[in-house]
Structure formats: C-alpha cells, structure tokens
Amino acid sequence: MSELLALDDVSAGYGEALVLNHVSLSLDEGKSLALLGRNGTGKTTLLNTIVGLTRRRGGTLRLLGRDITNLRPDQRAEAGVGWVPQERNIFKSLTVDENLTAVLRPGPWNVDRIYAMFPRLAERKKNMGNQLSGGEQQMLAIGRALALNPRLLLLDEPLEGLAPIIVDELLAALGKLIRDEGMSAILVEQSARKILPLTDRAIILERGAIAYAGDSSALAGDQTTLHNLLGVAERPGQKPARAH
Amino acid sequence: MSAVDVKAPANGATARLSLLAGARWRWYEIAFWIVVPSLYFLAPTKLTLLSEILILGLLALSIDLVLGFAGIVTLGQGGFFGLGAYAAALMAKWGAGTAPLSDPLLGLAVAAGVAGIAGFLTSFLVLRGSDLTRLMVTLGLALIVDETANKMKWLTGGSDGLQGVLPAPVLGVWDFDLYGRVAFCYALAVLFVLFLVARQITKSPFGLSLQAIKGNPLRARTIGMPVNARLVAIYTIGAMFAGVAGGLLAQTTQFASPDMVAFHRSADALLILIFGGAGYLYGGLIGAGVFRVMQDILSNITPQYWQFWLGLVLLMLVLFVRGGILGLLRATRDRFFPPSSDKAAP
Amino acid sequence: MLTILFDGVAYGMLLFVLAVGLCVTLGLMNFINLAHGAFAMAGGYLTVVLLNKFGVSFYLCLPAAFVFCAILGAVLERTLYVRLYDKSHLDQVLFSIAIIFMSIATVDYFMGASQQIVNLPPSLQGRLEFLGASVGVYRLFVIIICGLMTIALQYALARTRFGSRLRAAVDDGRVARGMGIDVTKIFAITFAVGSGLAGLGGALGTGILSLYPTFPLKYMILFLIVISVGGTTTITGPFFASILLGVADVTGKYFLPSFGGFFIYTIMVAVLILRPQGLFVRGASR
Amino acid sequence: MTVVLETRNLCKSFGGITATDNVTFKLEAGARHALIGPNGAGKTTFVNQLSGVLSPTSGTIILNGQDITNWSVRRRATSGLARTFQINQLFADFTPLQTILLAITERENAGSQWWRTSGARSDFVDESVTLLTSLGLADVMQQRVGSLAYGRQRLLEIAIAVAAKPSVLLLDEPAAGVPESDRDQILDVVDSLSADVALVLIEHDMDLVFRFAKSISVLVNGALFVEGTPAEIANDPRVRQVYLGEEELLHV
C-alpha cells in the first residue's frame, strides 16, 4: 500500500491560540480513518490544517509523496483534498447544480454519478443552496467534495444535527463510498460507535495531541479506552488537585 | 496570599506613579508650546498662513479625538467645521461689528454650540453600522450641509459666500488688524485652551475608556461600560472642537463660504491627521504645519499639481509607514533607545 | 415628460456600467475602492485623445477604452491594491483618496483643468421621435450599449462557470478556497473587468457627463449612493439603484433645480440609516 | 444555601430549531459547577442568554433575586454577572495594569470622569496591583497585552472578570488554546478564586471538569439532560450513551 497522507510533527492554531500540538499521522491509499475526541480537542482544527485554513506553527504535510505544506487551500484541493466542512457551508446563491459544477474537476465522479448516489439532490437541482433541508445540505456538501474528484475525502461531523432516518441514509452512502468504492477518507465524529464500523483505523485526540491510535475494530471493543477518552470520566491516575 | 498583601501597596505606589507619569508634561511638549508662540516674532510676515495652520491643526485635533482615540472613522468633520464657520460669521454680521452680538468669544461659543448640537443629534445615526457605513453616513451628512450652504442664499449668501463678517474686538480690546497679529494670538490662545482640554480628556478615565472601546467594543461592554454613551459624548465634543475651528477661520478671515464645508476640507483634515500621526494629539498640529508648508513649496515647484505629490506621500504612508510623522519618530526612538518597560497606549 | 424619463434612464444605465465593477469587487473582497471613478476618467480621456487628436472612430474608442482600463486595473490590482486587502477600511479609504489625488493631478498636467468636449460622429447626433417623445439618438445609443452590457454581465454571472465560481467566492471565500477555487485570481479578473467597464462607461459618457479632472471625486459620491441603495450581493440591486438615481437626479434637476444634490444625499443617508446593508439586499440570508 | 442565579423554563429557538429547550437551572452562592455536553448541545446559546448577548424566546433569568431577562449586557455586568470568553477579548494596546484599572473604574462608575487623571485614585490602583499579583501577573503588568504569551493573556481574561467583583462568574473554556506548559498556572488560578463567587465552567476537558467541579450539568439537544455530582455523572449509563454515540437509546 502506498502512503496517501502524512503529517509530520504538525502544530497549528488560530491567531495566537495553539490548538494542535505536534501531531504526526499517516494514512495509506484506500484506507479510512476515524478521528475521534470530545469537542474542543482539535479534530476540526486538524482537518482544517489539512485543508490549509489554519495558522501552521510547525511540521510538514505530504500528500501522495508531494510536500503540500506551503500550498494554498485551492492548490491543495487541486492536489486531491476533498473537504466537507463542519457547517456544510453550501454556497447559498448557487443552485444545487451549480454548487457541483462550480467546483467540478475531471475524473470518475461527474454530476450524474453524484446524483445517482444522492437521488434527493437530483430532485432539487434547480433549488438555491439556502432552500435545502439539513440532510440535503449535508448530501450536497459530500457531493460537492466528490465533484473535486479527490484522492482523500475529509468529512467533518457529517452526521451532526440530522434526524435518525437521514443519519442511516448517509451512513449507508458513506459505507458504499468507503467500503465498496475504496475512497480514502478521514471522518471526524463525536459518536464513535457510528463510524468505527466504517473505518480501518482510529485516532483519539485529547488537548490537541494524539491520545490513542489503533485499529477501529480493536477500539470498538475497548470499552475502557472509549469511556476514558470520549466519555465523561476522570483520567485514571489523576486526582483532583483541589487539596491545597 | 499573605505575602502578596504585604507586597501590594509598595507595588501599587510604583504602579500609580507610572500611570501618572503618562500624564506629566514632557520636555518636547513644553518645547513645542514655546516654539509655536515664538513664531509670532520669527515669522511676522507669515502670520496669516500661521493662523490658518493653527486652525487646520485644531480641526485635525478634533478628528484625532474622534478617530485617533475613540476609533470612529469619519469623513464628515468638515460639516461641523462649516456649521461653526457660518454660525460665527452670522453672529458677527448680525452684530455689525459691535458687542455683544459680534463678540468673537460669544461667536465661538455659538459655533461650538451649533456644531455640538448637530454632532449630538447625528451621533445616533453615525454610531450604527460598520466602518464603511460610518464613512458614508458622515460623508453624506457633510454633503448635505454643503448643499444647504449653497442653496440657502438668503442666509448664507450661496456660493458667493457671506460678506460683511465683522467681529468685534477680542475681549473688547484687540481689534483684528490687517497683518493678522491679533488673529494669530487669538487663534493660538483658543487652540491652546482647547488643547489642554483635549489633553486632559485623553489622560482621564474617560479617555482610557474611549481607547478601550476602540480596541475591543465587545469587551468594553462586558465590563459594564456604557459604550454608546461614551461614543456619543466624544463625537459631540469632537463636533464642538470642529465648530470652534470653523468659527475661528470665519472670524479671522472675516468671510464664510461653502468652500469651508466642501468635501476636500474633511479629506484634507483627515490627511493632515494621518500625516502627523493619529492618537498623539500633536499629530494634527504638526501635520497641519507640514501639510501647509509642503503645499507652499510643492506648489512653487509644480504650480497646481502639488496634489500629485500629496497623493504620492499619502500612498507611501499607507503602504509603508504606520502612524505618520510621530509614529515614525517613535519607532526611530524605540529602535535606538529601547524602552525599559514596554509602554502601551500613548 | 417622457423625454426627461428617457434621459434619466440613459443616465442611470450609464451610472450602472460605471459603478457595477465597484459593487462586485466590494462584495467579493470587502475592499472599498473609492478611486473607481479614476478608471472611468481614464476611459473618458483616452476617448478624447483618440477621437480629437488622432481621429479614431468613436465606435473604436469604446472597446479601446475598455481594454485599456481593464489592463490598467489588472496592473494596479496586482501591484498596489493587493497590499491593502487585509488593512482597515480607513487605510483603504486613504489609499483610494491618494489614487484619486494623483489621477486628478496627472490628468490636469497633461490635459488641463478645463472641461473636455468630444465631437460625436454625425450618426449619433440629432433626435428621434419615439412614442411621442423627442429622444436624443446619442442617449438611445447609450441605453442600447449599456443594456447589452447589462445583459452580458447578467449572463456571465448567472450562466457561466466563472459566474458561479465568482458567486461562490462572494458567498464564502474561505470555503470556496477549500473547494479549489482560486479566489485571488477570480478577484483579479473581476477587478480588471470592472475597471474596464468603468472605462467603457467613461468613454460612453463623454457626451453626457462633464469630463474634467475632478471627475473621480464627483462620481465617487454617486457610486457610493448606488452601493448604499443597491447593496453589493447582486447586480440587480445596483442596476435598479442606478436607474432610480439617474431618473431622480434628472427629474430633480429639471423640476427643482434649486435643490440640486440635496435630494439624493438625503436619500443616501436615509437609506443607510434604515438599511445599513442596502435597500435591495435579500432579507436575512442565514 | 442562597440561590444566586436561576433560570426558569428558558427556551430559545432559531427559526424552527430549538436551541434551548425549557431549561430550569439553579446556581447556589459559591458553587463550583460545570456545564458540559456534546457538540451542538446548546451550551453557548445558553451562556449567551445568561450574559445577555441573546434574548430568550420565553422563560426568565433571575440574578440575586432580580428578574434580569430583559437587561442589557452592560447592566448585567454591573450587577454581578461576569464572564470570560473562549477566544480572548482583550485590549491589545493596553498594559494589564491599565486593563484592570479600567475594569475597576467602570465597576465604581467613575469611567466617565474626564477631569481626573487616570491613576489618580490610589485605591483603584492598589486594588488592581493586588489582583494582578494574586493572579501571577505582577511581573508583566507594565507590558503591552498584545506582546504577552497566550497563557498570560488567558489569565488576564480571568482577571478582568474577577475585577468586576461578580457574584456569578461564567468561565468559557479557560484553558483553551494554552500550551501544556502554561496550563497548570491557569488551573491553579481557577482553583484559588474566592469561595464567595459562584463559578460556572463551560468545558470539554474532563480533567479540568473533574478537578474543579462539585456538581455537573449535562446539556443535550438544548435540554438539561442530567445533573449530579461528578461521580454520579461519570457512572451514569445514559451520559455514556450520549457521549459514545448511541443516541438511539435515548429515544426509548
């Protein structure tokens, strides 16, 4: 398997604030990674750093062996990074169709294939971006990232705030994409149980650093780690320091 | 904690001294106020020009209060200047050169009052919205004053200007003379008094709160500061200062015309402040001097086209130099004499 | 009456072509280029020189003005404007004023301070009877050209891929970048086209607007009114604002000459106070 | 114990979405309370209503026995409700000393005095110095805030809120964005805050929550999901489900 993405000792943040501390990770082509952690631990910042939207304080990034550390976000998109932002950020004065065609790049994913994957979008082709339901916006955000024909798909909490029935629909679509099509992806999610079955590897962030890295299947069975790093719990061995 | 409590008062005394030190008169300030009056003897033939510089400086100072300290961007200060000019001119005219109506100080008080009321009323319009909206609203308001001055011929004399402006002698003693001696002394005295007021404002808790609002209005609000009331207050004060400047110009030149309200008046005053450096109080005064002298020199080299050089200098300032002449001086000083304790807000 | 309305529409459409570049770039980069009028002036003076000194056909002057100003805009954007994007609005305004001053002095130096008159080709002079009103041929020509420009613009914006990428960049520049859209390049092109259109407007306007060196200062105010009334998120907003302003200005000057600009300035301030984001902006967008 | 802050049936909706769902909440004097919940639980919306940035759709907010539901941000701030921000809100060109002096001056309603020189009130200055010293900022109090290290800026953020002598202090992720090395200093400061002040900590970092809180509220989908002591919350199976993503169980 050849290496798709590698982060080497990356630190980043916004303005003066430092959010990511010395993160290193690598992902092989055709593999998928679950990026877990409570909120505020730096998951979105890590994705945004791969996209190129944060202030980098150190470290390097490689995509397909090419150093992308100093590339602008649009150049990284060209190099193969497909991004589904947390807030979806559908372009609101573009129609559904235009949201796809405006960013389309040549490759196996064309507009028809995206519509085939999300038939609901096909019905709403002519609607403006701000006339969609939350689930439709999420589908469009994923479709828009696919239109870039990326080598690596970054999904930032794609299930958040959606009705259970839509969550199931999206999970099915993502499963198809990742498992059947072999799309390489990094999925950020709060609910570990939903995405661990979809992914090969998992990383848990805490305070901007990697607190756990391992196989998704192993993590799914590891109740203690899940509870300690994602649930509401004290870290073992750390006593409240209120005594003095 | 006990160690801290013992230490605090001693620390507090030094802290207090350092805070008060910010308000002490520096040698260069004293030097400035010695040099300016001595120009009366050094350049007796240039008194008219010097008076004009003092008045422009006062107008720029009024912008400094509003923009440099409180961060309200404005292109409309010329409107208040014009209102003050017409108010003082009309007072002088109606009094036909005799007290009490034509008394110059009464004229200035009325000019300040009229401009202040206009400033107070329009402050509520200006304080809404972003920088961009503020720029456009202040510009629009100044244009309305300009148009009004042009169109209300029966009152203002329209584009021909207001003739027959005859202020009474200053304090009933000194009559305005042809050489501009009284005008210079009068303008200087008024400027000095208003400068003292402005200086005190900026060194006071009120002044500090304005700089806080400029720096971070959200935080200012969450420490319980009545942000809008403070801004209304300083905008009104700024308008009064501009009104007095306008009144001074009308009285010393014995004339008022729509030219005093025109857009270029606001733009020039803003440029003067930027030249000199905003947020130092002296920026406007020094800027006014440099601006007028530069205008004289450059106009001699390339008659009429000094605007080009003005634009070029401004362009360089915006692109390369932050803080105008005084900012440049401070940066130079800090470079060669690094400050021991890194002083913040001026 | 109809004649006045017609003149007003012609004036308004001309204003639109002059101002539209400023509206789009302001919406795109949040950069307030008060010196936009300088490009229009450049187009106007280029036409005067080509027409009066070199005898070039007026019809050729129009595209020449467009191309010249577009190149001028592109060069200035890449060299100077690009340094100002992350600075405050105050700095941007001061910068614009500097450009205005320099352009005024430059034109004054080469062309003199007096108003420039162009000799329009005979085919554009004279009047026509149209729907019972007497209509200037030249104004009809202006309306046709500006109308075509407006349609072309609207088509480019609504139907082309460049248009949808531009709208995406205006909607959310950060995400647009993340989606592979080179916002910087789009802005440079838009700026150049906007400057070109201003130049075309300046060339077309030589017969209607009075062309002298303080042109950028005078029209800056009108452009600001167009923006404050029309908003910056669409081009239909500025379009209707321009027509409205044109008609209001022409009828105002005809019926109430003593009020002059008073009327439109008051409208501008009133609009800014009531709707700080502009009159035609679609209601709460998020 | 006396209740200092209370909300009754607080609701807030944006369009059709309910961001705060009928929250009834009580805070006692001197409380050490943590507010936690997964993303989108409505913590920020809730805190913004408490501090007056947003006004609720329905319900009431009571501070020290007074209905403050319709009060402005400023009036709440002067009546004993202070907050820190997740992203620093400081005056970059001031010194810490000037910043705290300003906050104390405003607290004492002396901020509009233009005839007095800033720093003339020695009682205000002494109080500023004492406060800065107790928060470990004495050595940098004459430096420009913008030039301070991020951790020091975070401390100043807390100092500003403390200077208001609040009865309720809302701390929004006080240690966020701070390098690991400076973290302990901030935690110590939070620990050492006066016992008279009721603290509400909005936090995701469980170390901090468990080190500091004596009671915890979990917010889910805008509603108060469960309240209890740290031990109760840590062992609550329903909380575990929420955090580990088995939300379906909640609907049963």
Side-chain angles (χ1 to χ4, degrees), chain A residues 16-18 38-40 86 157 190-194 207 226-227 230-235 238 240-242, chain D residues 36-39 43 150 177 180 183 191 204-207 210-212 233-234 239-240 243-246 248:
Chain A
E16 290 292 304
L18 188 67
R38 301 187 187 103
N39 33 11
Q86 191 174 18
E157 306 213 10
Q190 290 215 322
S191 337
R193 293 257 177 258
K194 283 179 188 145
R207 255 183 256 144
L226 283 176
H227 182 64
L230 298 175
V232 178
E234 289 176 71
R235 256 214 295 207
Q238 288 206 350
R242 318 184 40 90
Chain D
I36 65 172
N39 249 358
K43 295 186 296 292
Y150 194 76
E180 205 67 27
R183 201 176 135 81
D191 277 341
H204 310 300
D205 188 319
M206 290 304 151
D207 281 357
F210 279 92
R211 164 167 167 165
F212 152 93
I233 298 293
V239 174
R240 190 176 300 202
Y243 267 79
L244 299 184
E246 287 149 30
E248 294 82 357

Side-chain angles (χ1 to χ4, degrees), chain D residues 22-39:
Chain D
N22 206 25
V23 172
T24 297
F25 170 83
K26 277 185 183 160
L27 193 71
E28 289 175 344
R32 294 291 182 266
H33 193 88
L35 190 62
I36 65 172
N39 249 358

Side-chain angles (χ1 to χ4, degrees), chain B:
Chain B
M1 282 301 276
S2 62
V4 164
D5 288 335
V6 176
K7 217 170 111 196
N11 238 338
T14 31
R16 187 157 168 264
L17 284 178
S18 80
L19 285 166
L20 291 174
R24 245 200 334 262
W25 286 82
R26 307 296 168 114
W27 64 267
Y28 44 81
E29 289 187 273
I30 296 167
F32 180 88
W33 288 109
I34 291 174
V35 168
V36 173
S38 56
L39 290 173
Y40 180 84
F41 304 103
L42 296 175
T45 56
K46 297 272 186 196
L47 289 182
T48 313
L49 176 70
L50 286 172
S51 303
E52 202 196 322
I53 290 177
L54 295 177
I55 291 166
L56 270 179
L58 181 58
L59 179 59
L61 176 66
S62 82
I63 301 180
D64 204 4
L65 285 177
V66 171
L67 170 71
F69 287 91
I72 309 170
V73 289
T74 170
L75 274 175
Q77 210 68 358
F80 300 123
F81 184 84
L83 279 178
Y86 276 105
L90 287 170
M91 288 292 290
K93 189 181 174 180
W94 290 336
T98 52
L101 224 48
S102 287
D103 184 75
L105 288 178
L106 179 68
L108 287 192
V110 172
V114 169
I117 290 169
F120 179 74
L121 294 177
T122 52
S123 65
F124 298 96
L125 311 178
V126 171
L127 296 181
R128 300 175 45 135
S130 63
D131 279 4
L132 199 56
T133 316
R134 284 177 178 179
L135 282 168
M136 289 203 232
V137 171
T138 50
L139 175 67
L141 289 170
L143 289 172
I144 288 174
V145 176
D146 189 9
E147 280 295 315
T148 314
N150 259 314
K151 299 302 174 198
M152 290 172 72
K153 249 195 162 93
W154 56 272
L155 184 69
T156 63
S159 53
D160 298 333
L162 197 62
Q163 310 287 342
V165 177
L166 289 171
V170 179
L171 296 175
V173 181
W174 295 287
D175 210 345
F176 288 98
D177 59 296
L178 272 176
Y179 310 101
R181 289 187 196 128
V182 170
F184 175 78
C185 297
Y186 173 58
L188 180 61
V190 172
L191 172 67
F192 186 64
V193 170
L194 288 185
F195 180 84
L196 289 182
V197 173
R199 191 177 184 282
Q200 178 53 40
I201 287 177
T202 58
K203 308 288 181 193
S204 70
F206 174 59
L208 194 66
S209 74
L210 294 176
Q211 294 172 54
I213 294 170
K214 181 188 178 192
N216 191 336
L218 171 66
R219 171 47 89 189
R221 214 164 252 133
T222 46
I223 62 172
M225 196 186 290
V227 168
N228 281 350
R230 298 278 161 82
L231 292 178
V232 166
I234 194 63
Y235 192 74
T236 306
I237 293 171
M240 290 170 76
F241 272 54
V244 171
L248 274 178
L249 187 64
Q251 289 174 347
T252 55
T253 59
Q254 312 197 343
F255 184 61
S257 75
D259 177 60
M260 291 180 178
V261 202
F263 169 74
H264 75 83
R265 180 75 58 180
S266 300
D268 282 356
L270 185 61
L271 298 194
I272 284 171
L273 178 65
I274 301 300
F275 266 3
Y280 297 92
L281 287 178
Y282 288 92
L285 309 185
I286 293 172
V290 175
F291 181 89
R292 282 293 285 139
V293 170
M294 216 173 84
Q295 187 176 22
D296 263 19
I297 297 172
L298 288 176
S299 307
N300 282 334
I301 302 172
T302 49
Q304 292 175 31
Y305 310 120
W306 90 284
Q307 254 190 339
F308 180 85
W309 303 108
L310 175 66
L312 190 65
V313 171
L314 183 63
L315 195 74
M316 295 297 150
L317 275 176
V318 174
L319 287 178
F320 303 112
V321 187
R322 303 289 322 171
I325 296 170
L326 289 177
L328 203 62
L329 284 178
R330 166 177 285 196
T332 319
R333 186 198 66 189
D334 289 352
R335 186 152 168 200
F336 292 108
F337 308 99
S340 49
S341 68
D342 201 0
K343 271 276 159 14

Side-chain angles (χ1 to χ4, degrees), chain A residues 4-5 47-56 59-81 105, chain C residues 174 177-178 180-182 184:
Chain A
L4 175 64
L5 174 80
L47 282 204
N48 288 352
T49 304
I50 299 172
V51 177
L53 294 167
T54 57
R55 179 168 163 201
R56 196 181 52 86
T60 52
L61 293 92
R62 271 195 320 278
L63 187 74
L64 291 160
R66 174 184 174 197
D67 187 349
I68 60 164
T69 314
N70 295 316
L71 292 191
R72 297 190 310 258
D74 55 291
Q75 293 169 322
R76 294 191 192 191
E78 208 169 335
V81 175
R105 286 178 185 281
Chain C
R174 193 178 94 101
R177 284 196 169 87
I181 296 175
D182 189 344
T184 316

Side-chain angles (χ1 to χ4, degrees), chain A residues 103-118:
Chain A
V103 303
L104 188 68
R105 286 178 185 281
W109 287 97
N110 55 30
V111 176
D112 289 339
R113 200 166 155 212
I114 294 166
Y115 284 143
M117 182 157 192
F118 297 113

